[in-house]
Amino acid sequence: MQLTMDRVGDILDGMAEEFPPALFDELNGGVNLLEQALPDPEFPEGEMYILGEFCNDLLGRYINLYYGSFAALAEREEWTEEDWREELWTTLSHELTHHMESRGGLHALDDADAEELQRWRAEYGR
């Protein structure tokens, strides 16, 4: 099932309200839903997508979620609306964790992500 970007935005707005407001402290750029898909260039086309990322740069601290990446996976894996909700929740939670760890000077999730990416590279012979 494909959801429109507007519908996904509405779902994300509702989800954000379920998180404690303190998680959004210092997230001055907020949570942004961007239209594009973001294929991971280290993997074969269409095999791996970046769903979201926490950014901490000259523009501040913000989270980007990529609607097109979610939509590509939804099409390939024939998601239901519940699948969309689960993936959005998981990704938003993940990126908020990066934000909180960054605020605290921690990097456990960064390390775990790097290890997981290394396993995927090995699986794909990269």
Side-chain angles (χ1 to χ4, degrees):
M1 163 184 281
Q2 284 294 354
L3 299 183
T4 66
M5 189 164 160
D6 286 340
R7 177 71 180 129
V8 171
D10 290 343
I11 291 169
L12 280 172
D13 287 345
M15 284 180 179
E17 292 175 8
E18 295 179 38
F19 286 93
L23 292 180
F24 296 91
D25 287 352
E26 298 182 31
L27 194 65
N28 61 327
V31 177
N32 308 296
L33 181 63
L34 305 177
E35 189 171 359
Q36 75 260 29
L38 193 58
D40 191 318
E42 294 187 43
F43 294 89
E45 183 69 31
E47 288 295 317
M48 189 75 63
Y49 288 90
I50 297 168
L51 299 177
E53 58 188 346
F54 166 69
C55 302
N56 183 7
D57 57 26
L58 293 174
L59 297 175
R61 294 171 175 267
Y62 54 97
I63 292 171
N64 288 335
L65 299 179
Y66 298 98
Y67 168 79
S69 294
F70 286 95
L73 292 177
E75 182 176 334
R76 183 175 76 200
E77 298 174 8
E78 299 180 11
W79 285 359
T80 64
E81 183 165 334
E82 185 59 31
D83 294 323
W84 275 89
R85 288 178 178 277
E86 288 175 17
E87 289 297 328
L88 290 165
W89 181 269
T90 299
T91 303
L92 181 56
S93 298
H94 184 95
E95 301 311 330
L96 283 169
T97 302
H98 279 298
H99 166 58
M100 295 305 294
E101 284 192 351
S102 172
R103 288 182 60 203
L106 304 172
H107 52 83
L109 187 56
D110 288 334
D111 294 346
D113 285 351
E115 289 173 13
E116 185 173 38
L117 189 56
Q118 186 61 33
R119 284 192 300 276
W120 288 335
R121 283 184 188 126
E123 183 178 320
Y124 282 89
R126 302 276 177 188

